[in-house]
Amino acid sequence: MDRFYPEPKGRIWLETEGQNFLGTGRIELLEKIEELGSLRKAAIAMGMSYRKAYYAIKSVNLLSSSPLVTFSHGGKGGGSTLVTTEGKNMIGRFRSFETSFVKFLTDQEQFFRQE
Amino acid sequence: MDRFYPEPKGRIWLETEGQNFLGTGRIELLEKIEELGSLRKAAIAMGMSYRKAYYAIKSVNLLSSSPLVTFSHGGKGGGSTLVTTEGKNMIGRFRSFETSFVKFLTDQEQFFRQE
DNA sequence: AAGCGTTATTCCTTTAAGGGAACAACGAAA
DNA sequence: TTTCGTTGTTCCCTTAAAGGAATAACGCTT
């Protein structure tokens, strides 16, 4: 028997119009935004540049039939970024998708352990 | 109802020792080698540079407990690259893994169509 | 010993993604 | 009207991955 065997791995995401819409990174970013109410703070919390976070979220909204986040700038606190009901709903569905995928990968392990 | 909805997508591969071992591209390359008996011809047939193909296959063998391909160089025909029995076996297991994954993704579509 | 087509390897260039920094725009509060 | 912290945008630089080209190494055949 081998000391090491191949492990099934993978990555999943969602596409709309044939373009990258949501993956694990963007979902984490949405969750941070939901938690902190600010795109900048969320980016910093994830060790990500604001620019990258901004472009990611901008792309998410462009590819969604209804916005997953809303923005306001200026005023008290300088502005804010909020996750909409649709956004929270999408986060939940993606996480379910992800959980099923982890199970799928685990189930596949047996086929690569056998001698 | 939306004109467009998110489509579940993904990519799968195998790792050994925490490193990329085999993915769709390398499997296709192995299949081409099996068909043509030559790494160079396989690379050309896939529109891939020989160098990239060479490094890919070299990595595959390094990460496998037993070689999936064998090489000979010099002599009649200049040399050859052959897929071992273990290699053919691995191709088959990966393709099964892939088939299951396509089914998994299809099954997930329903969760992103709803309203 | 020369020719051949492959495997094996090196070097340099090109290209795309991301990072950092800088700064304008905004609007409520003081 | 000034201050403040955020959103929004642009510029340039760095860095990692991929490509192309060139060439050595090899060993059977003639």
Side-chain angles (χ1 to χ4, degrees), chain B residues 40 47-49 51-52 73-76 78:
Chain B
R40 181 170 297 273
M48 175 189 296
S49 71
R51 206 192 46 162
K52 183 177 179 185
H73 66 149
K76 181 182 182 180

PDB file of all heavy atoms in Angstrom, chain B residues 40 47-49 51-52 73-76 78, chain D residues 18-23 25-29:
ATOM      1  N   ARG B  40       6.344  14.812 -27.486  1.00  0.00           N
ATOM      2  CA  ARG B  40       6.369  15.959 -28.397  1.00  0.00           C
ATOM      3  C   ARG B  40       5.136  15.989 -29.303  1.00  0.00           C
ATOM      4  O   ARG B  40       4.482  17.029 -29.446  1.00  0.00           O
ATOM      5  CB  ARG B  40       7.640  15.924 -29.255  1.00  0.00           C
ATOM      6  CG  ARG B  40       7.772  17.092 -30.225  1.00  0.00           C
ATOM      7  CD  ARG B  40       9.139  17.145 -30.872  1.00  0.00           C
ATOM      8  NE  ARG B  40      10.189  17.360 -29.893  1.00  0.00           N
ATOM      9  CZ  ARG B  40      10.593  18.558 -29.478  1.00  0.00           C
ATOM     10  NH1 ARG B  40      10.033  19.630 -29.960  1.00  0.00           N
ATOM     11  NH2 ARG B  40      11.546  18.671 -28.596  1.00  0.00           N
ATOM     12  N   GLY B  47      -1.711  21.683 -29.044  1.00  0.00           N
ATOM     13  CA  GLY B  47      -1.396  23.103 -29.198  1.00  0.00           C
ATOM     14  C   GLY B  47      -0.648  23.647 -27.991  1.00  0.00           C
ATOM     15  O   GLY B  47      -0.770  24.820 -27.635  1.00  0.00           O
ATOM     16  N   MET B  48       0.113  22.771 -27.355  1.00  0.00           N
ATOM     17  CA  MET B  48       0.839  23.139 -26.135  1.00  0.00           C
ATOM     18  C   MET B  48       2.338  23.118 -26.430  1.00  0.00           C
ATOM     19  O   MET B  48       2.796  22.352 -27.270  1.00  0.00           O
ATOM     20  CB  MET B  48       0.484  22.098 -25.067  1.00  0.00           C
ATOM     21  CG  MET B  48       1.229  22.224 -23.746  1.00  0.00           C
ATOM     22  SD  MET B  48       0.908  20.778 -22.689  1.00  0.00           S
ATOM     23  CE  MET B  48      -0.840  20.944 -22.397  1.00  0.00           C
ATOM     24  N   SER B  49       3.087  23.973 -25.760  1.00  0.00           N
ATOM     25  CA  SER B  49       4.529  23.969 -25.974  1.00  0.00           C
ATOM     26  C   SER B  49       5.120  22.689 -25.377  1.00  0.00           C
ATOM     27  O   SER B  49       4.637  22.179 -24.371  1.00  0.00           O
ATOM     28  CB  SER B  49       5.166  25.196 -25.333  1.00  0.00           C
ATOM     29  OG  SER B  49       5.150  25.097 -23.931  1.00  0.00           O
ATOM     30  N   ARG B  51       7.833  22.345 -23.835  1.00  0.00           N
ATOM     31  CA  ARG B  51       8.383  22.614 -22.510  1.00  0.00           C
ATOM     32  C   ARG B  51       7.335  22.472 -21.419  1.00  0.00           C
ATOM     33  O   ARG B  51       7.546  21.845 -20.386  1.00  0.00           O
ATOM     34  CB  ARG B  51       8.990  24.013 -22.451  1.00  0.00           C
ATOM     35  CG  ARG B  51      10.070  24.159 -21.434  1.00  0.00           C
ATOM     36  CD  ARG B  51      10.406  25.604 -21.227  1.00  0.00           C
ATOM     37  NE  ARG B  51       9.190  26.419 -21.090  1.00  0.00           N
ATOM     38  CZ  ARG B  51       9.168  27.624 -20.573  1.00  0.00           C
ATOM     39  NH1 ARG B  51      10.284  28.180 -20.200  1.00  0.00           N
ATOM     40  NH2 ARG B  51       8.051  28.283 -20.461  1.00  0.00           N
ATOM     41  N   LYS B  52       6.172  23.060 -21.670  1.00  0.00           N
ATOM     42  CA  LYS B  52       5.096  22.975 -20.687  1.00  0.00           C
ATOM     43  C   LYS B  52       4.664  21.526 -20.484  1.00  0.00           C
ATOM     44  O   LYS B  52       4.496  21.069 -19.347  1.00  0.00           O
ATOM     45  CB  LYS B  52       3.903  23.809 -21.154  1.00  0.00           C
ATOM     46  CG  LYS B  52       2.761  23.831 -20.166  1.00  0.00           C
ATOM     47  CD  LYS B  52       1.631  24.720 -20.637  1.00  0.00           C
ATOM     48  CE  LYS B  52       0.485  24.698 -19.639  1.00  0.00           C
ATOM     49  NZ  LYS B  52      -0.690  25.464 -20.107  1.00  0.00           N
ATOM     50  N   HIS B  73      14.997   7.841 -24.798  1.00  0.00           N
ATOM     51  CA  HIS B  73      15.411   8.782 -25.828  1.00  0.00           C
ATOM     52  C   HIS B  73      16.646   8.256 -26.529  1.00  0.00           C
ATOM     53  O   HIS B  73      17.384   7.438 -26.001  1.00  0.00           O
ATOM     54  CB  HIS B  73      15.596  10.207 -25.288  1.00  0.00           C
ATOM     55  CG  HIS B  73      16.717  10.378 -24.320  1.00  0.00           C
ATOM     56  ND1 HIS B  73      17.415  11.534 -24.206  1.00  0.00           N
ATOM     57  CD2 HIS B  73      17.243   9.535 -23.429  1.00  0.00           C
ATOM     58  CE1 HIS B  73      18.320  11.399 -23.266  1.00  0.00           C
ATOM     59  NE2 HIS B  73      18.253  10.214 -22.773  1.00  0.00           N
ATOM     60  N   GLY B  74      16.808   8.739 -27.767  1.00  0.00           N
ATOM     61  CA  GLY B  74      17.823   8.182 -28.638  1.00  0.00           C
ATOM     62  C   GLY B  74      17.284   6.945 -29.332  1.00  0.00           C
ATOM     63  O   GLY B  74      16.180   6.474 -29.026  1.00  0.00           O
ATOM     64  N   GLY B  75      18.047   6.441 -30.266  1.00  0.00           N
ATOM     65  CA  GLY B  75      17.652   5.228 -30.957  1.00  0.00           C
ATOM     66  C   GLY B  75      16.648   5.467 -32.065  1.00  0.00           C
ATOM     67  O   GLY B  75      16.376   6.597 -32.442  1.00  0.00           O
ATOM     68  N   LYS B  76      16.090   4.390 -32.527  1.00  0.00           N
ATOM     69  CA  LYS B  76      15.146   4.466 -33.639  1.00  0.00           C
ATOM     70  C   LYS B  76      13.959   5.377 -33.308  1.00  0.00           C
ATOM     71  O   LYS B  76      13.340   5.232 -32.259  1.00  0.00           O
ATOM     72  CB  LYS B  76      14.639   3.061 -33.962  1.00  0.00           C
ATOM     73  CG  LYS B  76      13.654   3.015 -35.122  1.00  0.00           C
ATOM     74  CD  LYS B  76      13.153   1.590 -35.357  1.00  0.00           C
ATOM     75  CE  LYS B  76      12.205   1.535 -36.546  1.00  0.00           C
ATOM     76  NZ  LYS B  76      11.697   0.162 -36.791  1.00  0.00           N
ATOM     77  N   GLY B  78      14.060   8.292 -32.458  1.00  0.00           N
ATOM     78  CA  GLY B  78      14.493   9.374 -31.577  1.00  0.00           C
ATOM     79  C   GLY B  78      14.140   9.166 -30.130  1.00  0.00           C
ATOM     80  O   GLY B  78      14.755   9.740 -29.237  1.00  0.00           O
TER      81      GLY B  78
ATOM     82  P    DA D  18       1.303  28.792 -15.981  1.00  0.00           P
ATOM     83  OP1  DA D  18      -0.033  28.176 -16.153  1.00  0.00           O
ATOM     84  OP2  DA D  18       2.428  28.006 -15.444  1.00  0.00           O
ATOM     85  O5'  DA D  18       1.732  29.428 -17.379  1.00  0.00           O
ATOM     86  C5'  DA D  18       0.962  30.496 -17.917  1.00  0.00           C
ATOM     87  C4'  DA D  18       1.441  30.813 -19.320  1.00  0.00           C
ATOM     88  O4'  DA D  18       2.611  31.670 -19.240  1.00  0.00           O
ATOM     89  C3'  DA D  18       1.836  29.587 -20.136  1.00  0.00           C
ATOM     90  O3'  DA D  18       1.292  29.696 -21.435  1.00  0.00           O
ATOM     91  C2'  DA D  18       3.372  29.616 -20.108  1.00  0.00           C
ATOM     92  C1'  DA D  18       3.664  31.106 -19.991  1.00  0.00           C
ATOM     93  N9   DA D  18       4.915  31.404 -19.278  1.00  0.00           N
ATOM     94  C8   DA D  18       5.387  30.845 -18.118  1.00  0.00           C
ATOM     95  N7   DA D  18       6.546  31.329 -17.724  1.00  0.00           N
ATOM     96  C5   DA D  18       6.859  32.265 -18.684  1.00  0.00           C
ATOM     97  C6   DA D  18       7.963  33.128 -18.845  1.00  0.00           C
ATOM     98  N6   DA D  18       8.989  33.171 -18.004  1.00  0.00           N
ATOM     99  N1   DA D  18       7.967  33.946 -19.922  1.00  0.00           N
ATOM    100  C2   DA D  18       6.930  33.903 -20.777  1.00  0.00           C
ATOM    101  N3   DA D  18       5.841  33.131 -20.721  1.00  0.00           N
ATOM    102  C4   DA D  18       5.871  32.331 -19.646  1.00  0.00           C
ATOM    103  P    DG D  19       1.722  28.694 -22.619  1.00  0.00           P
ATOM    104  OP1  DG D  19       0.559  28.533 -23.516  1.00  0.00           O
ATOM    105  OP2  DG D  19       2.363  27.513 -22.012  1.00  0.00           O
ATOM    106  O5'  DG D  19       2.822  29.538 -23.386  1.00  0.00           O
ATOM    107  C5'  DG D  19       2.634  30.954 -23.543  1.00  0.00           C
ATOM    108  C4'  DG D  19       3.479  31.448 -24.685  1.00  0.00           C
ATOM    109  O4'  DG D  19       4.719  31.964 -24.152  1.00  0.00           O
ATOM    110  C3'  DG D  19       3.861  30.374 -25.701  1.00  0.00           C
ATOM    111  O3'  DG D  19       3.858  30.938 -27.008  1.00  0.00           O
ATOM    112  C2'  DG D  19       5.249  29.924 -25.248  1.00  0.00           C
ATOM    113  C1'  DG D  19       5.813  31.191 -24.589  1.00  0.00           C
ATOM    114  N9   DG D  19       6.665  30.920 -23.429  1.00  0.00           N
ATOM    115  C8   DG D  19       6.403  30.049 -22.403  1.00  0.00           C
ATOM    116  N7   DG D  19       7.352  30.014 -21.496  1.00  0.00           N
ATOM    117  C5   DG D  19       8.291  30.918 -21.957  1.00  0.00           C
ATOM    118  C6   DG D  19       9.538  31.310 -21.395  1.00  0.00           C
ATOM    119  O6   DG D  19      10.072  30.924 -20.357  1.00  0.00           O
ATOM    120  N1   DG D  19      10.176  32.254 -22.197  1.00  0.00           N
ATOM    121  C2   DG D  19       9.684  32.761 -23.368  1.00  0.00           C
ATOM    122  N2   DG D  19      10.453  33.665 -23.991  1.00  0.00           N
ATOM    123  N3   DG D  19       8.525  32.411 -23.897  1.00  0.00           N
ATOM    124  C4   DG D  19       7.880  31.488 -23.138  1.00  0.00           C
ATOM    125  P    DG D  20       4.278  30.031 -28.280  1.00  0.00           P
ATOM    126  OP1  DG D  20       3.472  30.473 -29.426  1.00  0.00           O
ATOM    127  OP2  DG D  20       4.256  28.617 -27.842  1.00  0.00           O
ATOM    128  O5'  DG D  20       5.796  30.464 -28.540  1.00  0.00           O
ATOM    129  C5'  DG D  20       6.183  31.806 -28.270  1.00  0.00           C
ATOM    130  C4'  DG D  20       7.555  32.074 -28.846  1.00  0.00           C
ATOM    131  O4'  DG D  20       8.529  31.997 -27.773  1.00  0.00           O
ATOM    132  C3'  DG D  20       8.006  31.076 -29.907  1.00  0.00           C
ATOM    133  O3'  DG D  20       8.721  31.762 -30.920  1.00  0.00           O
ATOM    134  C2'  DG D  20       8.869  30.077 -29.129  1.00  0.00           C
ATOM    135  C1'  DG D  20       9.446  30.944 -28.011  1.00  0.00           C
ATOM    136  N9   DG D  20       9.628  30.233 -26.744  1.00  0.00           N
ATOM    137  C8   DG D  20       8.786  29.317 -26.176  1.00  0.00           C
ATOM    138  N7   DG D  20       9.201  28.852 -25.028  1.00  0.00           N
ATOM    139  C5   DG D  20      10.415  29.507 -24.819  1.00  0.00           C
ATOM    140  C6   DG D  20      11.341  29.415 -23.754  1.00  0.00           C
ATOM    141  O6   DG D  20      11.268  28.716 -22.736  1.00  0.00           O
ATOM    142  N1   DG D  20      12.431  30.259 -23.955  1.00  0.00           N
ATOM    143  C2   DG D  20      12.619  31.065 -25.025  1.00  0.00           C
ATOM    144  N2   DG D  20      13.731  31.798 -25.038  1.00  0.00           N
ATOM    145  N3   DG D  20      11.765  31.171 -26.043  1.00  0.00           N
ATOM    146  C4   DG D  20      10.692  30.362 -25.873  1.00  0.00           C
ATOM    147  P    DA D  21       9.358  30.952 -32.157  1.00  0.00           P
ATOM    148  OP1  DA D  21       9.183  31.817 -33.341  1.00  0.00           O
ATOM    149  OP2  DA D  21       8.819  29.578 -32.159  1.00  0.00           O
ATOM    150  O5'  DA D  21      10.912  30.892 -31.795  1.00  0.00           O
ATOM    151  C5'  DA D  21      11.505  31.999 -31.116  1.00  0.00           C
ATOM    152  C4'  DA D  21      12.922  31.659 -30.710  1.00  0.00           C
ATOM    153  O4'  DA D  21      12.920  31.013 -29.412  1.00  0.00           O
ATOM    154  C3'  DA D  21      13.629  30.708 -31.674  1.00  0.00           C
ATOM    155  O3'  DA D  21      14.940  31.185 -31.954  1.00  0.00           O
ATOM    156  C2'  DA D  21      13.659  29.378 -30.916  1.00  0.00           C
ATOM    157  C1'  DA D  21      13.720  29.854 -29.464  1.00  0.00           C
ATOM    158  N9   DA D  21      13.168  28.894 -28.504  1.00  0.00           N
ATOM    159  C8   DA D  21      12.022  28.180 -28.611  1.00  0.00           C
ATOM    160  N7   DA D  21      11.782  27.396 -27.575  1.00  0.00           N
ATOM    161  C5   DA D  21      12.856  27.614 -26.731  1.00  0.00           C
ATOM    162  C6   DA D  21      13.197  27.084 -25.474  1.00  0.00           C
ATOM    163  N6   DA D  21      12.460  26.186 -24.827  1.00  0.00           N
ATOM    164  N1   DA D  21      14.334  27.526 -24.919  1.00  0.00           N
ATOM    165  C2   DA D  21      15.080  28.424 -25.568  1.00  0.00           C
ATOM    166  N3   DA D  21      14.859  28.990 -26.757  1.00  0.00           N
ATOM    167  C4   DA D  21      13.717  28.537 -27.285  1.00  0.00           C
ATOM    168  P    DA D  22      15.785  30.558 -33.147  1.00  0.00           P
ATOM    169  OP1  DA D  22      16.247  31.699 -33.963  1.00  0.00           O
ATOM    170  OP2  DA D  22      15.017  29.451 -33.758  1.00  0.00           O
ATOM    171  O5'  DA D  22      17.033  29.922 -32.400  1.00  0.00           O
ATOM    172  C5'  DA D  22      17.606  30.604 -31.284  1.00  0.00           C
ATOM    173  C4'  DA D  22      18.300  29.609 -30.381  1.00  0.00           C
ATOM    174  O4'  DA D  22      17.315  28.923 -29.578  1.00  0.00           O
ATOM    175  C3'  DA D  22      19.076  28.515 -31.125  1.00  0.00           C
ATOM    176  O3'  DA D  22      20.472  28.640 -30.873  1.00  0.00           O
ATOM    177  C2'  DA D  22      18.512  27.200 -30.594  1.00  0.00           C
ATOM    178  C1'  DA D  22      17.794  27.620 -29.325  1.00  0.00           C
ATOM    179  N9   DA D  22      16.654  26.768 -28.972  1.00  0.00           N
ATOM    180  C8   DA D  22      15.545  26.502 -29.717  1.00  0.00           C
ATOM    181  N7   DA D  22      14.689  25.683 -29.129  1.00  0.00           N
ATOM    182  C5   DA D  22      15.289  25.396 -27.920  1.00  0.00           C
ATOM    183  C6   DA D  22      14.900  24.592 -26.830  1.00  0.00           C
ATOM    184  N6   DA D  22      13.760  23.898 -26.808  1.00  0.00           N
ATOM    185  N1   DA D  22      15.728  24.526 -25.772  1.00  0.00           N
ATOM    186  C2   DA D  22      16.868  25.219 -25.802  1.00  0.00           C
ATOM    187  N3   DA D  22      17.344  26.013 -26.761  1.00  0.00           N
ATOM    188  C4   DA D  22      16.491  26.061 -27.797  1.00  0.00           C
ATOM    189  P    DT D  23      21.521  27.714 -31.687  1.00  0.00           P
ATOM    190  OP1  DT D  23      22.728  28.531 -31.876  1.00  0.00           O
ATOM    191  OP2  DT D  23      20.827  27.106 -32.856  1.00  0.00           O
ATOM    192  O5'  DT D  23      21.841  26.546 -30.651  1.00  0.00           O
ATOM    193  C5'  DT D  23      22.003  26.859 -29.271  1.00  0.00           C
ATOM    194  C4'  DT D  23      22.032  25.585 -28.449  1.00  0.00           C
ATOM    195  O4'  DT D  23      20.679  25.134 -28.164  1.00  0.00           O
ATOM    196  C3'  DT D  23      22.735  24.406 -29.133  1.00  0.00           C
ATOM    197  O3'  DT D  23      23.628  23.802 -28.213  1.00  0.00           O
ATOM    198  C2'  DT D  23      21.577  23.459 -29.477  1.00  0.00           C
ATOM    199  C1'  DT D  23      20.654  23.732 -28.296  1.00  0.00           C
ATOM    200  N1   DT D  23      19.258  23.268 -28.474  1.00  0.00           N
ATOM    201  C2   DT D  23      18.672  22.549 -27.454  1.00  0.00           C
ATOM    202  O2   DT D  23      19.239  22.310 -26.405  1.00  0.00           O
ATOM    203  N3   DT D  23      17.378  22.158 -27.704  1.00  0.00           N
ATOM    204  C4   DT D  23      16.648  22.381 -28.845  1.00  0.00           C
ATOM    205  O4   DT D  23      15.512  21.971 -28.948  1.00  0.00           O
ATOM    206  C5   DT D  23      17.328  23.123 -29.877  1.00  0.00           C
ATOM    207  C7   DT D  23      16.622  23.416 -31.163  1.00  0.00           C
ATOM    208  C6   DT D  23      18.585  23.530 -29.650  1.00  0.00           C
ATOM    209  P    DA D  25      26.031  17.820 -24.229  1.00  0.00           P
ATOM    210  OP1  DA D  25      26.727  17.799 -22.915  1.00  0.00           O
ATOM    211  OP2  DA D  25      26.785  17.640 -25.482  1.00  0.00           O
ATOM    212  O5'  DA D  25      24.858  16.741 -24.205  1.00  0.00           O
ATOM    213  C5'  DA D  25      23.897  16.787 -23.154  1.00  0.00           C
ATOM    214  C4'  DA D  25      23.062  15.518 -23.181  1.00  0.00           C
ATOM    215  O4'  DA D  25      22.031  15.636 -24.195  1.00  0.00           O
ATOM    216  C3'  DA D  25      23.844  14.251 -23.516  1.00  0.00           C
ATOM    217  O3'  DA D  25      23.407  13.214 -22.654  1.00  0.00           O
ATOM    218  C2'  DA D  25      23.506  13.982 -24.979  1.00  0.00           C
ATOM    219  C1'  DA D  25      22.079  14.528 -25.076  1.00  0.00           C
ATOM    220  N9   DA D  25      21.688  15.022 -26.394  1.00  0.00           N
ATOM    221  C8   DA D  25      22.411  15.828 -27.226  1.00  0.00           C
ATOM    222  N7   DA D  25      21.785  16.133 -28.345  1.00  0.00           N
ATOM    223  C5   DA D  25      20.573  15.495 -28.236  1.00  0.00           C
ATOM    224  C6   DA D  25      19.443  15.418 -29.086  1.00  0.00           C
ATOM    225  N6   DA D  25      19.375  16.032 -30.262  1.00  0.00           N
ATOM    226  N1   DA D  25      18.392  14.687 -28.679  1.00  0.00           N
ATOM    227  C2   DA D  25      18.466  14.069 -27.488  1.00  0.00           C
ATOM    228  N3   DA D  25      19.459  14.069 -26.597  1.00  0.00           N
ATOM    229  C4   DA D  25      20.489  14.808 -27.037  1.00  0.00           C
ATOM    230  P    DC D  26      24.182  11.843 -22.578  1.00  0.00           P
ATOM    231  OP1  DC D  26      24.096  11.370 -21.173  1.00  0.00           O
ATOM    232  OP2  DC D  26      25.488  11.988 -23.251  1.00  0.00           O
ATOM    233  O5'  DC D  26      23.286  10.878 -23.473  1.00  0.00           O
ATOM    234  C5'  DC D  26      21.903  10.737 -23.173  1.00  0.00           C
ATOM    235  C4'  DC D  26      21.197  10.066 -24.319  1.00  0.00           C
ATOM    236  O4'  DC D  26      21.064  10.976 -25.419  1.00  0.00           O
ATOM    237  C3'  DC D  26      21.932   8.844 -24.881  1.00  0.00           C
ATOM    238  O3'  DC D  26      21.259   7.680 -24.435  1.00  0.00           O
ATOM    239  C2'  DC D  26      21.846   9.014 -26.413  1.00  0.00           C
ATOM    240  C1'  DC D  26      20.887  10.196 -26.584  1.00  0.00           C
ATOM    241  N1   DC D  26      21.139  11.080 -27.757  1.00  0.00           N
ATOM    242  C2   DC D  26      20.133  11.242 -28.706  1.00  0.00           C
ATOM    243  O2   DC D  26      19.063  10.640 -28.573  1.00  0.00           O
ATOM    244  N3   DC D  26      20.345  12.068 -29.778  1.00  0.00           N
ATOM    245  C4   DC D  26      21.513  12.702 -29.897  1.00  0.00           C
ATOM    246  N4   DC D  26      21.674  13.507 -30.951  1.00  0.00           N
ATOM    247  C5   DC D  26      22.554  12.560 -28.931  1.00  0.00           C
ATOM    248  C6   DC D  26      22.323  11.738 -27.887  1.00  0.00           C
ATOM    249  P    DG D  27      22.047   6.313 -24.218  1.00  0.00           P
ATOM    250  OP1  DG D  27      21.439   5.587 -23.077  1.00  0.00           O
ATOM    251  OP2  DG D  27      23.500   6.577 -24.258  1.00  0.00           O
ATOM    252  O5'  DG D  27      21.649   5.561 -25.556  1.00  0.00           O
ATOM    253  C5'  DG D  27      20.275   5.291 -25.804  1.00  0.00           C
ATOM    254  C4'  DG D  27      20.097   4.943 -27.262  1.00  0.00           C
ATOM    255  O4'  DG D  27      20.323   6.121 -28.071  1.00  0.00           O
ATOM    256  C3'  DG D  27      21.069   3.883 -27.794  1.00  0.00           C
ATOM    257  O3'  DG D  27      20.391   3.086 -28.737  1.00  0.00           O
ATOM    258  C2'  DG D  27      22.115   4.729 -28.517  1.00  0.00           C
ATOM    259  C1'  DG D  27      21.198   5.770 -29.122  1.00  0.00           C
ATOM    260  N9   DG D  27      21.851   6.973 -29.615  1.00  0.00           N
ATOM    261  C8   DG D  27      23.011   7.563 -29.162  1.00  0.00           C
ATOM    262  N7   DG D  27      23.328   8.661 -29.812  1.00  0.00           N
ATOM    263  C5   DG D  27      22.319   8.797 -30.756  1.00  0.00           C
ATOM    264  C6   DG D  27      22.130   9.793 -31.736  1.00  0.00           C
ATOM    265  O6   DG D  27      22.824  10.780 -31.976  1.00  0.00           O
ATOM    266  N1   DG D  27      20.958   9.553 -32.483  1.00  0.00           N
ATOM    267  C2   DG D  27      20.111   8.491 -32.287  1.00  0.00           C
ATOM    268  N2   DG D  27      19.054   8.425 -33.092  1.00  0.00           N
ATOM    269  N3   DG D  27      20.288   7.555 -31.368  1.00  0.00           N
ATOM    270  C4   DG D  27      21.408   7.772 -30.640  1.00  0.00           C
ATOM    271  P    DC D  28      20.353   1.464 -28.499  1.00  0.00           P
ATOM    272  OP1  DC D  28      19.434   1.158 -27.398  1.00  0.00           O
ATOM    273  OP2  DC D  28      21.746   0.971 -28.469  1.00  0.00           O
ATOM    274  O5'  DC D  28      19.691   0.984 -29.884  1.00  0.00           O
ATOM    275  C5'  DC D  28      18.337   1.294 -30.137  1.00  0.00           C
ATOM    276  C4'  DC D  28      18.172   1.814 -31.553  1.00  0.00           C
ATOM    277  O4'  DC D  28      18.916   3.044 -31.734  1.00  0.00           O
ATOM    278  C3'  DC D  28      18.640   0.854 -32.651  1.00  0.00           C
ATOM    279  O3'  DC D  28      17.551   0.623 -33.545  1.00  0.00           O
ATOM    280  C2'  DC D  28      19.799   1.588 -33.324  1.00  0.00           C
ATOM    281  C1'  DC D  28      19.463   3.059 -33.043  1.00  0.00           C
ATOM    282  N1   DC D  28      20.626   3.968 -33.029  1.00  0.00           N
ATOM    283  C2   DC D  28      20.667   5.044 -33.922  1.00  0.00           C
ATOM    284  O2   DC D  28      19.746   5.217 -34.728  1.00  0.00           O
ATOM    285  N3   DC D  28      21.739   5.891 -33.899  1.00  0.00           N
ATOM    286  C4   DC D  28      22.727   5.684 -33.032  1.00  0.00           C
ATOM    287  N4   DC D  28      23.749   6.557 -33.029  1.00  0.00           N
ATOM    288  C5   DC D  28      22.702   4.586 -32.110  1.00  0.00           C
ATOM    289  C6   DC D  28      21.642   3.766 -32.152  1.00  0.00           C
ATOM    290  P    DT D  29      17.661  -0.531 -34.658  1.00  0.00           P
ATOM    291  OP1  DT D  29      16.314  -1.080 -34.876  1.00  0.00           O
ATOM    292  OP2  DT D  29      18.795  -1.418 -34.279  1.00  0.00           O
ATOM    293  O5'  DT D  29      18.090   0.292 -35.949  1.00  0.00           O
ATOM    294  C5'  DT D  29      17.276   1.403 -36.362  1.00  0.00           C
ATOM    295  C4'  DT D  29      17.921   2.098 -37.537  1.00  0.00           C
ATOM    296  O4'  DT D  29      19.038   2.915 -37.078  1.00  0.00           O
ATOM    297  C3'  DT D  29      18.475   1.167 -38.611  1.00  0.00           C
ATOM    298  O3'  DT D  29      17.927   1.521 -39.872  1.00  0.00           O
ATOM    299  C2'  DT D  29      19.988   1.394 -38.558  1.00  0.00           C
ATOM    300  C1'  DT D  29      20.083   2.815 -38.021  1.00  0.00           C
ATOM    301  N1   DT D  29      21.336   3.123 -37.290  1.00  0.00           N
ATOM    302  C2   DT D  29      22.057   4.257 -37.635  1.00  0.00           C
ATOM    303  O2   DT D  29      21.714   4.995 -38.520  1.00  0.00           O
ATOM    304  N3   DT D  29      23.192   4.451 -36.876  1.00  0.00           N
ATOM    305  C4   DT D  29      23.672   3.661 -35.851  1.00  0.00           C
ATOM    306  O4   DT D  29      24.696   3.968 -35.251  1.00  0.00           O
ATOM    307  C5   DT D  29      22.886   2.511 -35.545  1.00  0.00           C
ATOM    308  C7   DT D  29      23.306   1.578 -34.451  1.00  0.00           C
ATOM    309  C6   DT D  29      21.750   2.288 -36.275  1.00  0.00           C
TER     310       DT D  29
END
